[in-house]
Amino acid sequence: MEKCGFLDKNRHIIHGQIRDKTNAVHMEMSGKWTRTVSLKYLTAGHSKPPGTVAAVWSRPKGNACGKWKLTPFVSKLIEITPAHERLLPTTDSRLRPDRRLLAAGHPRRAGDQKTLIENRQRKDQKERDKGAMPQYVPKWFQQAPCPHDPAIKHWQYIGGYWEERQRRADTLDDPDTLAQQMASTLLIGGHVPGSACDFRTYANRH
């Protein structure tokens, strides 16, 4: 994604490359993630000849609804059901009170909650800088060299999230079918070091 200011004409622009295991570039991706995304074919052996530019995604028309004009896909993606409440690890940002208030149509209350969380984060960082608190360690990710460009560091998933959801499902007294289905998808092994933010209690912690 291209860096830009809030009113910059380059807002929403994305660029990318598709490479093979030898790091050779075969296609270039470009466009705006809010409108359309295209691929440019650079090498032979694909469905289209080199030099061809083809749109691979376009924003559906008339597909948004509600106060925030969300698509059905996005609405489903951020939905919090009773099953989610029981299964999502407390580090999941979908549980942030400001996000939930905003989704419910309460922007002023959401802003107040966001301020509480950010003030808590600033206070904690000052304590860490003084050595009064241990340094923050992400729970599900770690920084590692990018396999395509070792000079660049990216965040790499280290496992544990789906196991935590399964653990929660296993401890339910009355596990419902939906909860079990949600918890049993994409299970990946791995060890989880460190700690993470508990969004249920973080802002109001003393």
Side-chain angles (χ1 to χ4, degrees):
M1 302 184 76
E2 192 167 306
K3 292 183 178 180
C4 66
F6 185 74
L7 299 177
D8 198 300
K9 66 178 181 179
N10 292 328
R11 286 183 70 207
H12 308 149
I13 288 180
I14 59 174
H15 299 284
Q17 295 177 331
I18 297 178
R19 304 171 181 241
D20 62 20
K21 62 183 180 180
T22 68
N23 210 28
V25 180
H26 289 265
M27 302 174 196
E28 291 180 342
M29 179 180 66
S30 62
K32 288 192 173 185
W33 61 267
T34 53
R35 295 184 181 179
T36 183
V37 177
S38 298
L39 279 182
K40 182 177 182 180
Y41 294 79
L42 304 178
T43 58
H46 304 291
S47 59
K48 300 185 184 299
T52 301
V53 177
V56 293
W57 176 84
S58 294
R59 181 182 62 189
K61 294 182 179 179
N63 196 35
C65 59
K67 180 179 177 67
W68 306 116
K69 303 301 180 185
L70 302 177
T71 64
F73 172 75
V74 173
S75 297
K76 192 70 175 177
L77 193 65
I78 64 174
E79 179 184 26
I80 296 292
T81 67
H84 284 94
E85 287 274 12
R86 303 168 77 185
L87 289 172
L88 289 179
T90 56
T91 58
D92 197 298
S93 65
R94 284 173 289 180
L95 297 174
R96 280 181 60 138
D98 56 335
R99 284 188 54 172
R100 301 193 67 179
L101 285 167
L102 189 63
H106 305 295
R108 181 168 295 181
R109 291 170 59 192
D112 292 342
Q113 282 293 324
K114 182 173 182 289
T115 299
L116 284 173
I117 292 174
E118 291 175 345
N119 287 341
R120 181 73 240 186
Q121 290 172 331
R122 294 187 187 100
K123 182 179 179 181
D124 283 356
Q125 187 57 51
K126 288 180 180 179
E127 294 298 306
R128 292 188 180 100
D129 292 342
K130 292 188 298 185
M133 288 180 65
Q135 290 299 313
Y136 176 77
V137 179
K139 193 169 187 178
W140 316 118
F141 296 87
Q142 67 181 7
Q143 275 199 315
C146 176
H148 301 300
D149 187 349
I152 299 175
K153 286 194 173 183
H154 70 162
W155 288 100
Q156 184 178 45
Y157 177 61
I158 57 177
Y161 175 83
W162 298 103
E163 291 87 343
E164 174 65 13
R165 283 176 55 152
Q166 184 63 57
R167 184 193 66 77
R168 288 169 172 267
D170 292 341
T171 59
L172 293 179
D173 294 331
D174 55 339
D176 58 275
T177 303
L178 175 60
Q180 289 295 333
Q181 289 175 347
M182 287 172 53
S184 61
T185 57
L186 294 177
L187 292 177
I188 305 171
H191 173 65
V192 182
S195 59
C197 177
D198 183 335
F199 284 117
R200 293 180 189 272
T201 61
Y202 186 74
N204 297 317
R205 211 175 64 211
H206 297 292

